[in-house]
Amino acid sequence: MSFFGFLASVLPVDLFAGLATTGKYLFARKATIQYPEERKEPADRFRGMFGYSLERCNVCRGCEKACPIHIIHIESHWEEYEVEGKKRKKQVIDRYDIDVKRCMFCNLCAEACPTEAIWLTTKTYEAACYERNQALYFDKDKLMRWEGVKPFPGVKAPAEGGLPYFRLGGEEEEEG
Amino acid sequence: MPVLEAVLAGSEEMEVSFGPQHPATHGVLRLVLKVDGERIVDAKPIIGYLHRGTEKLFERETYPQCIPHTDRMDYTAAATNNQGFVGAVEKLMGITIPPRAAYIRMILAELQRIASHIIWLATHALDIGAVTPFFYTFEEREKILDLFEEYCGARLTLNTMRIGGVPWDLPEGWTDRCRKFVEELPRKIEDWERLLTNNRIWKARTVGVGVIDAEKAIAWGLTGPPLRGSGVQWDIRKVFPYDRYDEVEFDIPVGTHGDTYDRYLVRMEEMRQSVRIIRQCLDKLPDGPVMAWVPKVIRPPKGEVYFSVEGPKGELGYYIVSDGGVTPYRVRVRPPCFVNLQALPELVKGHLVADVVAVIGTLDIVLGEIDR
Amino acid sequence: MNELLWTYLALPLAKILVILLALVLLAAYMSWFERKLLAYMQIRLGPNRVGPKGWLQPIADALKLFVKEDLTPSFGEKLVFLLGPCLIIVPALVVFSVIPFGPSPHLFITDVNIGVLFILAVSSIGVYGIILGGWASNNKFSLMGGLRSAAQLISYEVPMGFAVVTVLLLAKSLSLVRIVEAQKQAGVWFVLPAFVAFVIYFICGVAETNRNPFDLPEAESELVAGYHTEYSGMKFAFYFLAEYANMVVVSCMATVMFFGGWLRPFPNVAALAFLDAIPPLVWFLLKVAGFLFLYIWFRGTFPRYRFDQLMGLGWKVLLPVSLVNLLVVAAFVAAGGQA
């Protein structure tokens, strides 16, 4: 072993290097974000709580079919209406339920929707509750009003006009 | 007191259960160790505590619906799980993905490799007693997860690849942020190395622990860093290239002695090579569409296919049998951790109980993948 | 008569109360110091919710441990189970009766003329607390952890003893106050002539208190949490406090023996006389704080040794080095070369 090798094994240079690294980080800027006083803003495409728009939904049931866990339950009936003397039929939603407690937020439903009636890019994730079964089963009213869900500061619930932060069409416009 | 006598007698073989709930087993792994005094005579891993029936679930889900479920197998490396599955279906259907999609997939997979190796380093060091690398490495992992979040919306269960390409193009500024991250990462890796690589205590704990030579490693079917740590140059990205890995230059680090220290060095170097790959991909990123034309309903022709990717833990393979319907007939996943774990009894024989944690850490097992 | 009562009963009692209280609080606040410092080294903030900057965290922890359910294993040996924590905390606190915090006769409780021997002997009783605690838990892993910890403590006392003897050679007395005064006479802290002894003493001190990198017997990644697995509530608090109190003991001893106790650097050099503005007690506390900082710095940086490597280090490396060091220093002192 060379002389320097011997010295290096007796004087713990490697240990001092480790101590120096830890000592350097002692004075570095700390990475803690003090929740709930500070919050990190999620990205635009962040998949959070659902947003739903009754007007845009045309009951194609694409979301129901696309969901891997089958948590979207849709029931509808046909109604007749008249426009310019012609009789037309349209579907009216009776029930649009999402069992959010089972959701894995995979976004397949939003990708399947042709009219952006359901979306996950709402930057909202604070839907914690004390009782899971009732509180996390959302029917269409609760879904639009975001009952029991705390929106991220600055985000509006769908009933108040909240829109997706990421349009799946391709352009990203920040709205809502 | 019978316990005291047994302990003082020393030469009696005791069976010790390293139970399913233990801070060091990286998940719900149960190890039954037969110890003679302090030396381990045999070790039997008992798994199944995290079995969720994923492969059976695949038989009921359509192909696009299977992809979120693949995220949850090796939950520390979701992108490579996705890559394996969609690559297998694309191979079955004969779809070629556009070049931009291939490059984006490579960037995501390499970022995921770095993230997974960060978890490995953090927990391995923590088990051996060094508590601080955990925090330093996880700060960098936060940045990677932020990049993932900006791209696909999720941080851990990404669901980021689709059959035919990737679902969306990169957001604005993503390549700059990614480039900034990979430029800073090598310096941080040096910091972590300064805490561990030459540290005499680290070396005392890892050199000569869990040794396996190249022949035995191949015989046991090890892949990934455990195989490369023993000196075998085998990486699916080089041997059976997929997703345009043949268009980027990178090296495959190999070890010499096949012990824990060599596997540690191999993984650290793999992180640097991933940085190299990401840099090249960012430089060479072509324009174009990110999704090939695929039918609206994915119905692969009848047949079977085996496709594997080099995940951070080893060779992750998917064997899909299709009967022509919208759901697979059978999907069998070749989990690298499962096969690597089989070599655990071989690796710990003759060592002390304290080395078991080092060996579990060096195999880098994730029970989600072992149990599925 | 009144003066006798005052000098020999009331004053010592008052000093004992003050020091005990201060010590228990110090041991408790060591936990705060450690959590905060370790956190800052790990780029995070430590406890900062309970009270400003987390100052009330140790109080919250103490309250929690008070009200926690005190479980005793239901199989035999309840007395020994109770005895374990007592045997570990009492020696750690009793040792402070001879440690001098300052020059005047009011800044220490007493100055026994075999102070160093007293400290070594009393702190060895603490090993019983570990062995009995591990044994009385009726849990084969606790027993193994306890035995290992005891073996570690006993092995590292030998090189520590030799390092201390080196200082005794230089100071020519076993009394702690005399050791500090010898450093004042020599004009330099003993760390300079006895540097190797200091290094050995501190490493052994870290091993004696079961701290990283020698904390395998109580590491979580071992089979269990060691000898104190079965303890809860105040009994666990005693083990916890005893570990910190032992750390403070080792730091105080190192300060007194190697760093001049309450003396300022180079106490006889007139040019540094402005440093006398800092009172001696503050110097003492600063040095002890420095050692505690070193303890925590070690914890944040190093991995831990495996048990056989730990014992190997103690017997095969530290013991020969301390012996050779002792011989060398003895040769110097015999040749008349004072420090």
Side-chain angles (χ1 to χ4, degrees):
Chain A
M1 208 189 333
S2 74
F3 175 65
F4 284 116
F6 173 70
L7 263 189
S9 72
V10 164
L11 306 169
V13 179
D14 45 310
L15 300 182
F16 286 136
L19 285 173
T21 312
T22 330
K24 175 180 82 163
Y25 276 98
L26 180 60
F27 300 105
R29 202 179 59 88
K30 305 296 170 255
T32 315
I33 295 181
Q34 299 272 58
Y35 187 88
E37 289 92 17
E38 305 166 12
R39 280 181 177 84
K40 205 160 98 162
E41 180 163 350
D44 275 351
R45 298 188 190 183
F46 175 75
R47 310 200 292 248
M49 181 60 197
F50 291 88
Y52 177 66
S53 159
L54 196 55
E55 296 91 45
R56 291 204 285 272
C57 181
N58 63 4
V59 207
C60 69
R61 293 192 158 82
C63 52
E64 196 180 23
K65 286 185 219 138
C67 179
I69 356 189
H70 318 292
I71 56 170
I72 304 186
H73 309 290
I74 302 180
E75 275 172 23
S76 65
H77 65 270
W78 287 93
E79 261 183 20
E80 283 190 351
Y81 69 101
E82 276 209 26
V83 62
E84 289 171 349
K86 296 219 178 92
K87 283 216 172 80
R88 294 261 156 85
K89 278 210 280 204
K90 69 171 181 191
Q91 278 193 321
V92 170
I93 291 195
D94 292 327
R95 190 162 84 102
Y96 189 95
D97 292 348
I98 304 188
D99 195 359
V100 174
K101 70 174 176 288
R102 299 231 174 94
C103 178
M104 56 174 171
F105 298 97
C106 64
N107 215 21
L108 289 181
C109 53
E111 288 177 24
C113 181
T115 53
E116 263 181 2
I118 182 169
W119 65 96
L120 268 79
T121 52
T122 49
K123 292 201 191 207
T124 300
Y125 49 88
E126 284 157 309
C129 54
Y130 284 101
E131 188 282 324
R132 228 171 36 156
N133 285 321
Q134 297 300 321
L136 286 179
Y137 191 89
F138 281 75
D139 57 16
K140 61 177 177 331
D141 279 321
K142 273 172 76 170
L143 204 51
M144 301 233 292
R145 279 179 299 123
W146 271 2
E147 188 178 301
V149 175
K150 198 162 137 212
F152 191 78
V155 174
K156 286 196 272 203
E160 294 156 25
L163 285 172
Y165 277 92
F166 174 55
R167 315 308 283 270
L168 288 175
E171 328 101 70
E172 299 114 49
E173 298 160 51
E174 213 182 272
E175 283 181 80
Chain B
M1 217 173 142
V3 173
L4 185 57
E5 266 96 36
V7 168
L8 290 179
S11 62
E12 210 176 87
E13 266 188 22
M14 259 200 319
E15 248 189 34
V16 171
S17 185
F18 219 81
Q21 289 153 327
H22 194 279
T25 52
H26 293 213
V28 277
L29 171 69
R30 179 167 168 221
L31 275 184
V32 176
L33 301 169
K34 268 217 194 78
V35 265
D36 174 15
E38 272 280 336
R39 301 263 153 198
I40 297 182
V41 170
D42 194 17
K44 191 164 77 156
I46 299 179
I47 57 174
Y49 290 92
L50 195 49
H51 181 66
R52 296 157 287 176
T54 311
E55 291 177 0
K56 182 71 186 172
L57 193 62
F58 284 156
E59 294 172 16
R60 283 190 315 154
E61 308 272 10
T62 62
Y63 287 89
Q65 285 177 333
C66 288
I67 304 177
H69 290 293
T70 59
D71 282 334
R72 286 148 171 86
M73 291 194 309
D74 177 4
Y75 37 77
T76 60
T80 41
N81 292 11
N82 288 348
Q83 200 180 22
F85 184 78
V86 298
V89 179
E90 283 157 10
K91 187 169 167 186
L92 191 54
M93 292 177 69
I95 300 175
T96 324
I97 58 175
R100 190 174 171 85
Y103 274 84
I104 294 180
R105 275 196 195 172
M106 283 203 285
I107 298 177
L108 291 172
E110 294 308 314
L111 279 175
Q112 187 67 271
R113 191 182 313 272
I114 299 176
S116 173
H117 282 335
I118 281 178
I119 297 189
W120 158 79
L121 179 62
T123 49
H124 190 40
L126 190 62
D127 289 337
I128 295 194
V131 298
T132 29
F134 184 95
F135 296 95
Y136 300 160
T137 51
F138 265 65
E139 173 64 20
E140 297 308 305
R141 189 178 140 90
E142 276 298 302
K143 298 183 186 151
I144 299 182
L145 296 184
D146 282 344
L147 283 172
F148 280 146
E149 185 184 334
E150 286 169 26
Y151 173 62
C152 64
R155 291 153 63 87
L156 196 69
T157 51
L158 305 172
N159 195 18
T160 190
M161 298 183 190
R162 302 280 182 273
I163 298 165
V166 289
W168 309 293
D169 206 343
L170 302 171
E172 216 179 279
W174 196 89
T175 45
D176 296 325
R177 288 189 284 273
C178 188
R179 197 183 291 275
K180 181 161 166 265
F181 168 72
V182 294
E183 294 307 326
E184 285 176 1
L185 188 65
R187 268 184 312 127
K188 298 281 161 92
I189 299 184
E190 261 176 46
D191 267 343
W192 312 335
E193 293 219 299
R194 216 173 297 135
L195 276 176
L196 296 173
T197 306
N198 286 321
N199 190 312
R200 58 189 58 197
I201 309 179
W202 180 260
K203 279 177 144 163
R205 285 302 293 268
T206 54
V207 172
V209 170
V211 181
I212 191 165
D213 60 9
E215 273 170 35
K216 278 222 186 92
I218 300 177
W220 277 101
L222 300 182
T223 50
L227 180 66
R228 293 196 279 277
S230 304
V232 181
Q233 282 247 12
W234 181 264
D235 188 322
I236 306 286
R237 296 173 291 174
K238 288 276 197 204
V239 182
F240 299 117
Y242 53 93
D243 266 1
R244 312 219 167 211
Y245 271 107
D246 40 2
E247 290 176 20
V248 287
E249 274 177 28
F250 60 102
D251 296 321
I252 309 201
V254 284
T256 34
H257 307 286
D259 58 10
T260 304
Y261 189 64
D262 273 356
R263 290 189 281 268
Y264 159 81
L265 290 175
V266 162
R267 286 194 180 97
M268 297 303 274
E269 185 58 31
E270 272 185 14
M271 281 200 261
R272 291 198 191 93
Q273 293 299 320
S274 288
V275 165
R276 197 170 152 196
I277 297 178
I278 297 177
R279 245 190 235 133
Q280 289 174 60
C281 288
L282 286 174
D283 289 335
K284 289 187 184 168
L285 196 60
D287 293 321
V290 290
M291 189 86 170
W293 184 91
V294 284
K296 199 156 166 42
V297 174
I298 308 257
R299 212 185 280 263
K302 247 196 230 183
E304 45 191 49
V305 69
Y306 176 77
F307 177 75
S308 63
V309 293
E310 180 73 22
K313 318 275 190 302
E315 174 182 343
L316 173 64
Y318 283 82
Y319 177 68
I320 303 185
V321 177
S322 159
D323 59 354
V326 289
T327 61
Y329 179 73
R330 172 81 168 103
V331 175
R332 160 80 170 121
V333 179
R334 182 215 183 268
C337 303
F338 182 85
V339 183
N340 291 353
L341 186 64
Q342 291 181 86
L344 183 77
E346 171 85 23
L347 288 173
V348 297
K349 217 173 285 240
H351 286 304
L352 302 173
V353 174
D355 291 325
V356 174
V357 279
V359 171
I360 294 180
T362 187
L363 285 178
D364 194 9
I365 54 174
V366 171
L367 264 295
E369 188 167 68
I370 296 179
D371 287 339
R372 275 157 283 133
Chain C
M1 176 59 193
N2 238 355
E3 211 186 278
L4 273 176
L5 212 59
W6 173 251
T7 328
Y8 287 107
L9 190 62
L11 191 57
L13 264 179
K15 281 199 259 191
I16 290 174
L17 269 167
V18 164
I19 291 188
L20 264 184
L21 213 64
L23 266 178
V24 172
L25 249 125
L26 180 65
Y29 270 87
M30 257 303 290
S31 75
W32 174 89
F33 186 47
E34 167 162 48
R35 283 168 75 170
K36 274 302 241 190
L37 195 64
L38 203 58
Y40 270 75
M41 282 196 237
Q42 293 165 348
I43 53 173
R44 58 186 175 95
L45 309 168
N48 64 349
R49 294 273 164 182
V50 193
K53 292 247 184 287
W55 274 97
L56 293 177
Q57 183 74 42
I59 315 280
D61 286 338
L63 276 176
K64 177 203 80 164
L65 285 168
F66 261 122
V67 300
K68 239 186 163 151
E69 180 183 355
D70 195 6
L71 295 164
T72 312
S74 60
F75 10 70
E77 304 309 341
K78 286 206 183 52
L79 184 63
V80 181
F81 192 74
L82 201 59
L83 209 56
C86 301
L87 276 179
I88 200 167
I89 188 86
V90 167
L93 294 176
V94 160
V95 157
F96 279 95
S97 56
V98 294
I99 291 188
F101 301 105
S104 95
H106 291 301
L107 280 176
F108 49 85
I109 297 181
T110 175
D111 180 34
V112 183
N113 61 352
I114 47 156
V116 169
L117 190 60
F118 178 77
I119 292 181
L120 287 178
V122 168
S123 46
S124 300
I125 300 183
V127 182
Y128 275 107
I130 295 178
I131 301 182
L132 292 178
W135 181 73
S137 301
N138 202 2
N139 175 348
K140 62 180 167 225
F141 307 123
S142 289
L143 179 61
M144 276 189 347
L147 287 176
R148 274 207 237 166
S149 181
Q152 174 185 332
L153 259 57
I154 297 175
S155 332
Y156 276 84
E157 271 179 13
V158 185
M160 184 154 100
F162 281 123
V164 168
V165 168
T166 314
V167 169
L168 298 181
L169 276 179
L170 293 172
K172 300 187 169 37
S173 163
L174 278 167
S175 146
L176 286 167
V177 175
R178 284 283 309 131
I179 293 180
V180 176
E181 282 171 8
Q183 289 177 77
K184 184 161 172 64
Q185 268 176 349
V188 72
W189 292 344
F190 280 157
V191 66
L192 288 176
F195 183 69
V196 179
F198 164 64
V199 170
I200 296 175
Y201 180 78
F202 194 70
I203 297 179
C204 292
V206 172
E208 286 286 312
T209 46
N210 270 335
R211 293 279 298 184
N212 221 355
F214 303 108
D215 64 347
L216 192 67
E218 57 181 42
E220 290 134 12
S221 40
E222 256 300 277
L223 288 178
V224 282
Y227 53 89
H228 57 68
T229 324
E230 300 282 341
Y231 284 93
S232 61
M234 273 324 277
K235 300 201 185 84
F236 174 73
F238 275 178
Y239 274 110
F240 192 64
L241 279 179
E243 177 172 321
Y244 287 127
N246 278 326
M247 276 166 66
V248 178
V249 169
V250 169
S251 306
C252 287
M253 281 281 282
T255 313
V256 162
M257 290 198 304
F258 295 99
F259 276 77
W262 63 80
L263 299 170
R264 65 170 165 89
F266 301 109
N268 295 339
V269 173
L272 294 170
F274 64 91
L275 290 171
D276 276 330
I278 304 176
L281 180 63
V282 176
W283 274 116
F284 186 85
L285 292 175
L286 276 176
K287 293 172 204 172
V288 171
F291 279 112
L292 295 173
F293 174 77
L294 210 58
Y295 261 108
I296 300 173
W297 205 4
F298 279 14
R299 178 165 181 204
T301 315
F302 299 136
R304 65 177 68 98
Y305 271 113
R306 209 171 56 206
F307 190 66
D308 58 325
Q309 295 161 344
L310 209 158
M311 298 296 271
L313 188 72
W315 289 104
K316 293 196 265 188
V317 175
L318 287 180
L319 184 58
V321 171
S322 65
L323 270 174
V324 168
N325 177 54
L326 181 61
L327 283 174
V328 167
V329 172
F332 262 113
V333 169
Q338 254 291 25

